[in-house]
Short mmCIF file of all heavy atoms in Angstrom, two decimals:
data_model
loop_
_atom_site.label_atom_id
_atom_site.label_comp_id
_atom_site.label_asym_id
_atom_site.label_seq_id
_atom_site.Cartn_x
_atom_site.Cartn_y
_atom_site.Cartn_z
N LYS A 777 99.15 89.00 114.10
CA LYS A 777 97.72 89.11 113.78
C LYS A 777 97.49 89.91 112.50
O LYS A 777 96.60 89.58 111.71
CB LYS A 777 96.97 89.75 114.95
CG LYS A 777 96.92 88.89 116.20
CD LYS A 777 96.11 89.56 117.29
CE LYS A 777 96.03 88.68 118.54
NZ LYS A 777 95.25 89.34 119.63
N ALA A 778 98.24 90.99 112.32
CA ALA A 778 98.02 91.85 111.17
C ALA A 778 99.34 92.48 110.76
O ALA A 778 100.23 92.69 111.60
CB ALA A 778 97.00 92.94 111.50
N PRO A 779 99.52 92.78 109.48
CA PRO A 779 100.77 93.42 109.02
C PRO A 779 100.90 94.83 109.60
O PRO A 779 99.92 95.45 110.01
CB PRO A 779 100.62 93.44 107.51
CG PRO A 779 99.16 93.33 107.25
CD PRO A 779 98.60 92.51 108.36
N PHE A 780 102.15 95.32 109.62
CA PHE A 780 102.41 96.61 110.24
C PHE A 780 101.77 97.77 109.49
O PHE A 780 101.56 98.84 110.05
CB PHE A 780 103.92 96.85 110.39
CG PHE A 780 104.66 97.00 109.09
CD1 PHE A 780 104.97 98.26 108.59
CD2 PHE A 780 105.07 95.89 108.36
CE1 PHE A 780 105.66 98.42 107.40
CE2 PHE A 780 105.76 96.03 107.16
CZ PHE A 780 106.05 97.29 106.67
N ILE A 781 101.47 97.60 108.20
CA ILE A 781 100.66 98.56 107.46
C ILE A 781 99.57 97.78 106.73
O ILE A 781 99.79 96.67 106.25
CB ILE A 781 101.47 99.41 106.46
CG1 ILE A 781 102.25 98.53 105.48
CG2 ILE A 781 102.39 100.37 107.19
CD1 ILE A 781 102.93 99.31 104.38
N ALA A 782 98.39 98.36 106.66
CA ALA A 782 97.25 97.66 106.08
C ALA A 782 97.33 97.60 104.56
O ALA A 782 96.91 96.61 103.95
CB ALA A 782 95.95 98.32 106.51
N ALA A 783 97.84 98.68 103.94
CA ALA A 783 97.86 98.72 102.48
C ALA A 783 99.09 99.48 102.00
O ALA A 783 99.63 100.34 102.70
CB ALA A 783 96.59 99.38 101.95
N TYR A 784 99.52 99.15 100.77
CA TYR A 784 100.64 99.83 100.13
C TYR A 784 100.20 100.21 98.72
O TYR A 784 99.84 99.34 97.91
CB TYR A 784 101.86 98.91 100.08
CG TYR A 784 103.06 99.47 99.36
CD1 TYR A 784 103.89 100.39 99.99
CD2 TYR A 784 103.35 99.09 98.05
CE1 TYR A 784 105.00 100.91 99.32
CE2 TYR A 784 104.46 99.60 97.38
CZ TYR A 784 105.28 100.52 98.03
OH TYR A 784 106.37 101.03 97.37
N LYS A 785 100.18 101.51 98.45
CA LYS A 785 99.71 102.03 97.16
C LYS A 785 98.32 101.50 96.81
O LYS A 785 98.03 101.11 95.67
CB LYS A 785 100.70 101.70 96.04
CG LYS A 785 102.03 102.44 96.16
CD LYS A 785 102.92 102.21 94.95
CE LYS A 785 104.22 103.01 95.06
NZ LYS A 785 105.09 102.84 93.87
N GLY A 786 97.47 101.44 97.84
CA GLY A 786 96.09 101.02 97.64
C GLY A 786 95.87 99.53 97.61
O GLY A 786 94.72 99.07 97.49
N VAL A 787 96.94 98.73 97.73
CA VAL A 787 96.82 97.27 97.68
C VAL A 787 96.95 96.71 99.09
O VAL A 787 97.91 97.04 99.80
CB VAL A 787 97.89 96.66 96.76
CG1 VAL A 787 97.79 95.14 96.76
CG2 VAL A 787 97.75 97.20 95.35
N PRO A 788 96.00 95.87 99.54
CA PRO A 788 96.11 95.29 100.88
C PRO A 788 97.40 94.49 101.06
O PRO A 788 97.83 93.78 100.16
CB PRO A 788 94.88 94.38 100.97
CG PRO A 788 93.93 94.92 99.96
CD PRO A 788 94.78 95.45 98.84
N VAL A 789 98.02 94.63 102.22
CA VAL A 789 99.23 93.90 102.55
C VAL A 789 98.86 92.63 103.32
O VAL A 789 98.04 92.68 104.24
CB VAL A 789 100.18 94.76 103.40
CG1 VAL A 789 101.42 93.97 103.80
CG2 VAL A 789 100.58 96.02 102.64
N ARG A 790 99.41 91.50 102.94
CA ARG A 790 99.15 90.26 103.66
C ARG A 790 100.42 89.76 104.32
O ARG A 790 101.54 90.17 103.97
CB ARG A 790 98.56 89.20 102.74
CG ARG A 790 99.48 88.67 101.65
CD ARG A 790 98.77 87.60 100.84
NE ARG A 790 99.60 87.05 99.78
CZ ARG A 790 100.43 86.02 99.95
NH1 ARG A 790 100.57 85.45 101.15
NH2 ARG A 790 101.15 85.56 98.93
N LEU A 791 100.25 88.88 105.28
CA LEU A 791 101.38 88.32 106.02
C LEU A 791 102.06 87.22 105.22
O LEU A 791 101.44 86.57 104.38
CB LEU A 791 100.89 87.77 107.37
CG LEU A 791 100.24 88.78 108.31
CD1 LEU A 791 99.61 88.06 109.50
CD2 LEU A 791 101.26 89.80 108.80
N ALA A 792 103.33 87.01 105.50
CA ALA A 792 104.10 85.97 104.80
C ALA A 792 103.70 84.59 105.29
O ALA A 792 103.37 84.40 106.47
CB ALA A 792 105.59 86.19 105.02
N ARG A 793 103.74 83.64 104.39
CA ARG A 793 103.46 82.24 104.72
C ARG A 793 104.76 81.45 104.65
O ARG A 793 105.48 81.52 103.65
CB ARG A 793 102.43 81.65 103.75
CG ARG A 793 101.07 82.31 103.80
CD ARG A 793 100.07 81.51 102.96
NE ARG A 793 98.76 82.15 102.95
CZ ARG A 793 98.31 82.92 101.98
NH1 ARG A 793 99.09 83.17 100.92
NH2 ARG A 793 97.10 83.45 102.02
N PRO A 794 105.09 80.71 105.69
CA PRO A 794 106.33 79.93 105.69
C PRO A 794 106.39 78.99 104.49
O PRO A 794 105.40 78.35 104.13
CB PRO A 794 106.26 79.15 107.00
CG PRO A 794 105.35 79.95 107.86
CD PRO A 794 104.34 80.55 106.94
N GLY A 795 107.55 78.93 103.86
CA GLY A 795 107.74 78.03 102.74
C GLY A 795 107.42 78.62 101.39
O GLY A 795 107.78 78.03 100.36
N GLU A 796 106.74 79.77 101.33
CA GLU A 796 106.42 80.38 100.05
C GLU A 796 107.61 81.15 99.50
O GLU A 796 108.43 81.68 100.24
CB GLU A 796 105.21 81.31 100.18
CG GLU A 796 103.89 80.57 100.35
CD GLU A 796 102.70 81.47 100.09
OE1 GLU A 796 102.91 82.68 99.83
OE2 GLU A 796 101.56 80.98 100.18
N ASP A 797 107.70 81.20 98.19
CA ASP A 797 108.81 81.87 97.50
C ASP A 797 108.35 83.25 97.05
O ASP A 797 107.42 83.37 96.24
CB ASP A 797 109.25 81.04 96.30
CG ASP A 797 110.48 81.63 95.61
OD1 ASP A 797 111.05 82.62 96.13
OD2 ASP A 797 110.87 81.10 94.55
N TYR A 798 109.00 84.27 97.60
CA TYR A 798 108.64 85.65 97.25
C TYR A 798 109.76 86.33 96.47
O TYR A 798 109.85 87.55 96.42
CB TYR A 798 108.33 86.45 98.52
CG TYR A 798 107.20 85.87 99.34
CD1 TYR A 798 107.42 85.37 100.62
CD2 TYR A 798 105.91 85.83 98.83
CE1 TYR A 798 106.37 84.84 101.37
CE2 TYR A 798 104.85 85.30 99.57
CZ TYR A 798 105.10 84.80 100.83
OH TYR A 798 104.06 84.28 101.55
N ALA A 799 110.62 85.53 95.85
CA ALA A 799 111.78 86.09 95.16
C ALA A 799 111.39 86.97 93.99
O ALA A 799 112.16 87.85 93.58
CB ALA A 799 112.70 84.96 94.69
N ALA A 800 110.21 86.75 93.41
CA ALA A 800 109.81 87.54 92.25
C ALA A 800 109.37 88.95 92.62
O ALA A 800 109.27 89.83 91.76
CB ALA A 800 108.66 86.83 91.51
N GLY A 801 109.13 89.19 93.91
CA GLY A 801 108.68 90.51 94.33
C GLY A 801 109.83 91.50 94.49
O GLY A 801 110.99 91.11 94.70
N LEU A 802 109.50 92.76 94.37
CA LEU A 802 110.47 93.83 94.61
C LEU A 802 110.55 94.08 96.11
O LEU A 802 109.54 94.38 96.75
CB LEU A 802 110.04 95.11 93.89
CG LEU A 802 110.89 96.35 94.15
CD1 LEU A 802 112.30 96.16 93.60
CD2 LEU A 802 110.23 97.60 93.55
N VAL A 803 111.73 93.95 96.69
CA VAL A 803 111.91 94.15 98.13
C VAL A 803 111.94 95.65 98.42
O VAL A 803 112.80 96.38 97.90
CB VAL A 803 113.20 93.47 98.62
CG1 VAL A 803 113.43 93.76 100.11
CG2 VAL A 803 113.14 91.97 98.38
N VAL A 804 111.01 96.08 99.27
CA VAL A 804 110.87 97.50 99.57
C VAL A 804 110.91 97.70 101.09
O VAL A 804 109.96 97.34 101.79
CB VAL A 804 109.55 98.07 99.01
CG1 VAL A 804 109.41 99.55 99.38
CG2 VAL A 804 109.48 97.88 97.51
N PRO A 805 111.99 98.26 101.65
CA PRO A 805 112.01 98.61 103.07
C PRO A 805 111.12 99.84 103.31
O PRO A 805 111.10 100.76 102.50
CB PRO A 805 113.48 98.92 103.36
CG PRO A 805 114.23 98.46 102.16
CD PRO A 805 113.28 98.52 101.01
N VAL A 806 110.41 99.84 104.43
CA VAL A 806 109.51 100.94 104.77
C VAL A 806 110.08 101.64 106.00
O VAL A 806 110.19 101.03 107.07
CB VAL A 806 108.09 100.44 105.05
CG1 VAL A 806 107.18 101.60 105.43
CG2 VAL A 806 107.54 99.71 103.82
N ARG A 807 110.43 102.92 105.85
CA ARG A 807 111.08 103.64 106.93
C ARG A 807 110.19 103.82 108.13
O ARG A 807 110.59 103.66 109.27
CB ARG A 807 111.57 105.01 106.43
CG ARG A 807 112.45 105.71 107.46
CD ARG A 807 112.66 107.16 107.14
NE ARG A 807 113.55 107.78 108.10
CZ ARG A 807 113.21 108.09 109.35
NH1 ARG A 807 111.99 107.85 109.79
NH2 ARG A 807 114.08 108.63 110.17
N GLY A 808 108.95 104.18 107.91
CA GLY A 808 108.04 104.43 109.02
C GLY A 808 108.26 105.80 109.63
O GLY A 808 109.02 106.63 109.12
N GLY A 809 107.60 106.04 110.76
CA GLY A 809 107.66 107.36 111.38
C GLY A 809 108.61 107.47 112.55
O GLY A 809 108.54 108.45 113.31
N ALA A 810 109.51 106.50 112.75
CA ALA A 810 110.46 106.56 113.87
C ALA A 810 111.45 107.70 113.68
O ALA A 810 111.79 108.05 112.55
CB ALA A 810 111.20 105.23 114.00
N PRO A 811 111.94 108.28 114.78
CA PRO A 811 112.90 109.38 114.65
C PRO A 811 114.23 108.92 114.06
O PRO A 811 114.62 107.76 114.22
CB PRO A 811 113.07 109.86 116.10
CG PRO A 811 112.72 108.67 116.94
CD PRO A 811 111.64 107.96 116.19
N ALA A 812 114.91 109.83 113.39
CA ALA A 812 116.21 109.49 112.80
C ALA A 812 117.24 109.18 113.88
O ALA A 812 118.20 108.42 113.64
CB ALA A 812 116.69 110.64 111.92
N ASP A 813 117.07 109.77 115.06
CA ASP A 813 117.98 109.54 116.18
C ASP A 813 117.21 108.78 117.26
O ASP A 813 116.59 109.38 118.13
CB ASP A 813 118.51 110.87 116.72
CG ASP A 813 119.58 110.67 117.79
OD1 ASP A 813 120.09 109.53 117.91
OD2 ASP A 813 119.89 111.64 118.51
N PRO A 814 117.20 107.45 117.22
CA PRO A 814 116.40 106.67 118.16
C PRO A 814 116.84 106.87 119.61
O PRO A 814 117.99 107.22 119.89
CB PRO A 814 116.64 105.22 117.71
CG PRO A 814 117.15 105.32 116.32
CD PRO A 814 117.91 106.60 116.25
N VAL A 815 115.89 106.61 120.52
CA VAL A 815 116.21 106.72 121.95
C VAL A 815 117.21 105.65 122.35
O VAL A 815 118.13 105.90 123.14
CB VAL A 815 114.91 106.59 122.79
CG1 VAL A 815 115.23 106.63 124.27
CG2 VAL A 815 113.94 107.70 122.43
N VAL A 816 117.05 104.46 121.83
CA VAL A 816 117.96 103.35 122.15
C VAL A 816 119.21 103.48 121.28
O VAL A 816 119.12 103.44 120.05
CB VAL A 816 117.28 101.99 121.90
CG1 VAL A 816 118.24 100.85 122.20
CG2 VAL A 816 116.01 101.86 122.73
N PRO A 817 120.40 103.63 121.88
CA PRO A 817 121.62 103.86 121.09
C PRO A 817 122.06 102.63 120.32
O PRO A 817 121.63 101.50 120.59
CB PRO A 817 122.65 104.25 122.16
CG PRO A 817 122.14 103.65 123.42
CD PRO A 817 120.65 103.67 123.33
N ALA A 818 122.95 102.86 119.36
CA ALA A 818 123.36 101.80 118.43
C ALA A 818 124.05 100.64 119.14
O ALA A 818 123.87 99.48 118.76
CB ALA A 818 124.28 102.39 117.36
N ASP A 819 124.87 100.90 120.15
CA ASP A 819 125.60 99.81 120.78
C ASP A 819 124.71 98.92 121.63
O ASP A 819 125.14 97.85 122.06
CB ASP A 819 126.78 100.33 121.61
CG ASP A 819 126.34 101.20 122.78
OD1 ASP A 819 125.60 102.17 122.54
OD2 ASP A 819 126.75 100.94 123.93
N ALA A 820 123.45 99.32 121.85
CA ALA A 820 122.51 98.48 122.58
C ALA A 820 121.85 97.46 121.67
O ALA A 820 121.23 96.50 122.16
CB ALA A 820 121.44 99.35 123.25
N VAL A 821 121.98 97.64 120.35
CA VAL A 821 121.26 96.78 119.41
C VAL A 821 122.18 96.08 118.42
O VAL A 821 121.73 95.25 117.64
CB VAL A 821 120.19 97.58 118.64
CG1 VAL A 821 119.18 98.17 119.60
CG2 VAL A 821 120.81 98.68 117.79
#
């Protein structure tokens, strides 16, 4: 229904559309507020 963050550096974030080419964009992973040591251990995922 909506992207995980509403805006990035003041610009609204929109959802991806299947078939569109986004290769020209800079790929930016967003860490978020999750703890560095997750509750679910690594071998579970």
